């Protein structure tokens, strides 16, 4: 069966520090991968999606970036975090159906 | 841009009652899906209904889709306290663009 992992589960970072969130999927090949962000009490905002290695589409221009170095690995990064980057970050995958979500990372920028 | 809009934004019911949540969308879709999110957790996929289907059941869940009205409803029968969560609808738009989510309905089931 397929599983999706995200880490870390929670993260507290100061403004201006870098960020790296990692997501890996097991049990499937060539999935579409997604990064969503959810601000407190709000809906989900699609940040990036990828249909293959090295193929990244950005939905929202901002100081975040994404990379897909391997088929089942998706990384969300920032060189310098802003206070507004605080939120709940969710990785998801899909192959045909879904997408199916990981457990999320709670990021607090202080 | 927001494709789906859930209604109501918040719903509070007694345990045992039925809960109905609605979702409206703007453009033609390939399918529509409903998800549940417990507080501070990831989203759990509940059910998918395709554009050529009108109704689908899964346990205590019933989903309807009216493509002429661009709307869907999620009915949870005989609700339980454990059903307390936020519920989101999301849709695939033709052209294989990624899933677009509404803002969700917060359901509270009071024991």
């Amino acid at each position: 069966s397929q599983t999706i992992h995200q880490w870390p589960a929670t993260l507290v970072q100061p403004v201006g520090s870098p960020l790296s969130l990692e997501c890996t999927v097991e049990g499937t090949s060539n999935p579409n991968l997604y990064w969503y962000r959810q601000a407190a009490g709000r809906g989900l905002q699609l940040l990036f999606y990828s249909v293959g290695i090295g193929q990244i589409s950005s939905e929202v221009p901002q100081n975040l970036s994404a990379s897909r170095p391997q088929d089942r690995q998706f990384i969300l990064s920032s060189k310098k975090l802003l206070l507004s980057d605080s939120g709940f970050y969710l990785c998801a995958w899909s192959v045909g159906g879904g997408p199916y979500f990981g457990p999320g990372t709670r990021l607090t920028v202080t | 841009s927001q494709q789906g809009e859930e209604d109501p934004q918040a719903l509070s019911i007694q345990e045992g009652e039925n809960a109905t949540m609605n979702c409206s969308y703007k453009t033609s879709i390939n399918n529509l899906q409903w998800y549940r999110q417990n507080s501070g957790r990831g989203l759990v996929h509940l059910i998918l209904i395709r554009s050529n289907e009108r109704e689908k059941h899964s346990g205590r869940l019933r989903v309807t889709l009216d493509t002429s009205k661009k709307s869907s409803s999620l009915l949870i029968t005989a609700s339980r306290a454990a059903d307390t969560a936020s519920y989101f609808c999301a849709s695939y738009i033709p052209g294989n663009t990624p899933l677009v989510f509404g803002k969700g309905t917060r359901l509270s089931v009071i024991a």
Side-chain angles (χ1 to χ4, degrees):
Chain A
S1 64
Q2 301 87 359
T3 56
I4 179 169
H5 304 278
Q6 275 187 255
W7 65 92
T10 60
L11 189 60
V12 180
Q13 293 282 100
V15 168
S17 64
L19 172 74
S20 181
L21 302 181
E22 190 163 343
C23 170
T24 59
V25 180
E26 297 176 356
T28 188
S29 295
N30 196 30
N32 291 339
L33 296 173
Y34 311 87
W35 278 111
Y36 285 87
R37 178 171 63 197
Q38 186 179 34
R42 304 286 294 277
L44 277 77
Q45 178 187 37
L46 178 65
L47 301 176
F48 301 96
Y49 70 97
S50 171
V51 299
I53 294 174
Q55 300 178 63
I56 310 294
S57 294
S58 174
E59 292 295 303
V60 183
Q62 54 201 333
N63 69 319
L64 298 173
S65 62
S67 61
R68 184 171 179 173
Q70 300 180 46
D71 181 45
R72 290 168 290 177
Q73 183 184 29
F74 206 22
I75 297 172
L76 182 69
S77 303
S78 175
K79 292 181 179 178
K80 288 186 178 181
L81 283 169
L82 307 173
L83 285 175
S84 58
D85 291 324
S86 292
F88 192 47
Y89 288 81
L90 290 155
C91 181
W93 68 274
S94 70
V95 175
Y100 305 97
F101 286 81
T105 294
R106 176 75 59 194
L107 172 65
T108 303
V109 182
T110 60
Chain B
S1 61
Q2 207 74 34
Q3 162 70 338
E5 293 286 344
E6 290 89 350
D7 170 56
Q9 289 187 339
L11 179 62
S12 184
I13 59 174
Q14 296 290 322
E15 201 168 31
E17 294 180 339
N18 296 341
T20 300
M21 289 158 273
N22 303 297
C23 169
S24 59
Y25 56 92
K26 298 175 184 175
T27 65
S28 297
I29 58 172
N30 289 338
N31 62 59
L32 188 140
Q33 305 182 56
W34 284 91
Y35 290 80
R36 183 187 72 230
Q37 183 182 33
N38 292 88
S39 180
R41 308 289 292 274
L43 274 74
V44 174
H45 185 269
L46 294 177
I47 196 165
L48 178 153
I49 186 165
R50 301 188 189 284
S51 60
N52 61 352
E53 297 176 311
R54 292 297 168 258
E55 188 171 309
K56 202 161 184 180
H57 297 255
S58 177
R60 292 184 297 113
L61 305 179
R62 186 181 81 131
V63 169
T64 62
L65 180 65
D66 187 334
T67 53
S68 66
K69 295 181 179 179
K70 293 186 170 56
S71 67
S72 174
S73 67
L74 171 66
L75 169 68
I76 304 175
T77 60
S79 63
R80 306 167 182 169
D83 295 327
T84 295
S86 290
Y87 292 82
F88 295 87
C89 68
S91 53
Y92 269 114
I93 303 169
N96 203 32
T97 52
L99 211 60
V100 181
F101 284 81
K103 294 182 179 179
T105 292
R106 293 190 309 279
L107 173 66
S108 298
V109 181
I110 303 168

